[in-house]
Amino acid sequence: MFTDTEGMVLKQVKIAGGRRMIHIFTQKYGKISVGTGITERNSKSKAALAIRPFTYGKYEISKNRDYYNLSGAEVKKSYYGLGEDLDKYAAASHALELTDKALQEESSQPRLFSMLIDFMDRLDKGASSCETLLLAYEVKLLSVLGHSPVLGQCAICGTETLEKPLKFSIPDGGMICQNCYQEMKENARATGKDRLIYEPSFDIVNTIRYLESKPFSAFDRIALRPEVLGELKSILREYISYHLDIGPLKSESIYMT
């Protein structure tokens, strides 16, 4: 089988024999791992430039049984310039690594593909806050993959009565009511096992709903307050790790440099 498809390069890994394995999030087939003998030694080669991470390109791919091979490529748009700004580079690296880890091989996700390209475009053009834009991407990714947190009712018993102060339970997948929270506390005393529960200092329900519903272009002008940003980032990272079974991302270390 021979085909071509548009795609975003998520990752590039050197393998034996001077070849490389490219993780490409394709428009047609979802994420696929493609082997190629194309290298970046010849920087003038269009195909060599197109296999870099941060590249949106068009790829010529052949499939032999269960193995994909890249025979040609050309750049549609390069986001390589994001590397000149540490905040933009960190946000883009995190989004690509998260997408790579969250996706199953050969599972078509056209909505998420369009969303990733849109995210990279807005980041390239300059959002008011790279981290706010990234949190919006994380919330939208969870929604597309069917893992959005429960917000309008208790994630355990289903009651719509959520008394303040609100509680967000990571293992239970969202907001929990006061009665369920009290039962958890009593169970924790008896078993000695605490559950990972947050008590947000901000309106987490409406904040997550806002990030999910607004287009990325809205964040050209809007940024979360620093204290809200930090708190929500911690909650979302724990939630994603638990519900998507994704461990720590290497890109997170960029924020610590």
Side-chain angles (χ1 to χ4, degrees), residues 56-129:
Y56 172 36
K58 186 175 182 180
Y59 301 92
E60 297 176 359
I61 298 168
S62 59
K63 185 177 183 182
N64 183 12
R65 294 183 180 178
D66 297 326
Y67 182 77
Y68 287 101
N69 186 68
L70 181 67
S71 55
E74 62 179 85
V75 177
K76 287 183 68 68
K77 183 170 183 179
S78 173
Y79 298 97
Y80 217 63
L82 293 174
E84 297 175 2
D85 183 302
L86 182 59
D87 290 337
K88 290 183 178 182
Y89 175 74
S93 296
H94 190 96
L96 294 184
E97 187 179 5
L98 172 61
T99 304
D100 187 25
K101 294 286 182 68
L103 291 176
Q104 300 293 321
E105 291 273 343
E106 297 185 69
S107 176
S108 180
Q109 291 284 353
R111 184 180 166 199
L112 183 58
F113 177 82
S114 297
M115 196 175 81
L116 178 60
I117 301 301
D118 191 14
F119 167 82
M120 296 293 284
D121 279 339
R122 302 320 304 185
L123 192 62
D124 192 36
K125 291 175 182 177
S128 177
S129 165

Side-chain angles (χ1 to χ4, degrees), residues 24 26-28 30 49 51 62 71 86 89 99 108 132 138 144-145 150 156 177 191 193 196 199 220 226 229 238:
I24 306 176
T26 70
Q27 188 177 46
K28 290 182 180 179
L49 293 174
I51 65 172
S62 59
S71 55
L86 182 59
Y89 175 74
T99 304
S108 180
T132 298
E138 292 178 355
V144 171
L145 297 182
V150 177
I156 298 174
C177 68
T191 62
K193 295 180 180 180
L196 189 54
E199 189 175 306
D220 290 350
L229 187 69
E238 288 283 0

Side-chain angles (χ1 to χ4, degrees), residues 127-198:
S128 177
S129 165
C130 298
E131 290 191 274
T132 298
L133 187 68
L134 178 59
L135 288 182
Y137 180 76
E138 292 178 355
V139 169
K140 293 175 189 295
L141 178 142
L142 286 168
S143 176
V144 171
L145 297 182
H147 290 281
S148 291
V150 177
L151 300 175
Q153 62 189 47
C154 176
I156 298 174
C157 69
T159 181
E160 297 181 1
T161 304
L162 298 175
E163 300 174 3
K164 293 183 179 181
L166 297 175
K167 308 292 191 303
F168 187 99
S169 170
I170 297 296
D172 296 298
M175 310 308 299
I176 57 174
C177 68
Q178 198 64 27
N179 288 338
C180 288
Y181 175 65
Q182 290 300 327
E183 288 183 14
M184 284 184 186
K185 285 180 65 176
E186 292 173 7
N187 186 58
R189 291 194 197 100
T191 62
K193 295 180 180 180
D194 290 328
R195 296 176 73 82
L196 189 54
I197 298 175
Y198 285 87

